[in-house]
Amino acid sequence: MGRIPAEPKSVGRGWKKEAKPRPKRFIRWHSDRFKRVGTSWRKPRGIDSRIRRGWHGTRKMANIGYGTAKRDRYRRKADGKYKFLVKSPGDLKMLLMYNDCYVAEFANTLSAKKRPKSLRFANQLGVKVINGHTKMQTREEE
């Protein structure tokens, strides 16, 4: 039997994601030298690899120490809340208890017809919607 996941905790106004010592992305060895080698990180596995052996003057290798803290993982930088994808207006009911630690994001499959209704419902529940303005129908008055 697995562990029960902990409930998400809201963060205060002064919340900031923990600063990491390396903001740059790790790029693949020789990706700057050959077009056929992509930039996305691959661990070097050669027996004589300077990168793998960690010699001075070579680029850094990605490892677990550079990871984001568990407290901050998947949180938005803007407000420290988690994103919740809303695929139907009924999904907003799930955020009723957690509107202080989640923000809603309408899926692109949520139709333009249902969006205004969903937005009104979210405002009643006190849930912030990130992309509430998208796909909204506007009627021109003549």
Side-chain angles (χ1 to χ4, degrees):
M1 190 147 151
R3 235 185 61 190
I4 299 169
E7 287 189 8
K9 293 184 178 89
S10 62
V11 289
R13 282 189 70 66
W15 177 85
K16 238 175 166 23
K17 215 170 201 179
E18 183 186 339
K20 283 291 165 181
R22 184 183 173 87
K24 285 192 288 185
R25 289 182 64 95
F26 294 97
I27 64 165
R28 189 177 176 182
W29 173 237
H30 277 326
S31 63
D32 53 344
R33 211 164 157 207
F34 302 107
K35 266 189 175 178
R36 65 177 178 264
V37 180
T39 55
S40 60
W41 174 252
R42 300 286 190 282
K43 185 179 169 69
R45 292 190 169 84
I47 55 169
D48 294 329
S49 173
R50 300 186 335 218
I51 303 286
R52 185 188 59 75
R53 290 161 77 180
W55 286 10
H56 285 283
T58 57
R59 59 179 55 140
K60 297 258 190 264
M61 214 164 66
N63 61 46
I64 198 68
Y66 290 106
T68 308
K70 204 173 201 179
R71 172 189 72 113
D72 302 336
R73 205 167 295 152
Y74 309 117
R75 286 190 188 266
R76 297 177 68 228
K77 280 186 182 168
D79 51 12
K81 295 183 178 185
Y82 297 105
K83 263 200 285 193
F84 182 81
L85 194 65
V86 176
K87 295 177 181 175
S88 71
D91 288 351
L92 287 164
K93 290 178 192 168
M94 288 187 246
L95 297 180
L96 184 60
M97 298 287 286
Y98 299 110
N99 60 1
D100 57 337
C101 40
Y102 280 96
V103 291
E105 181 184 27
F106 290 154
N108 72 330
T109 52
L110 189 66
S111 68
K113 190 178 177 183
K114 289 182 181 175
R115 275 177 193 247
K117 178 186 168 189
S118 303
L119 194 60
R120 280 194 298 274
F121 189 46
N123 288 337
Q124 285 173 3
L125 297 177
V127 176
K128 184 184 173 190
V129 179
I130 301 170
N131 59 346
H133 61 281
T134 54
K135 253 195 206 179
M136 284 295 200
Q137 290 176 333
T138 54
R139 208 181 305 155
E140 289 184 21
E141 305 284 330
E142 290 178 19

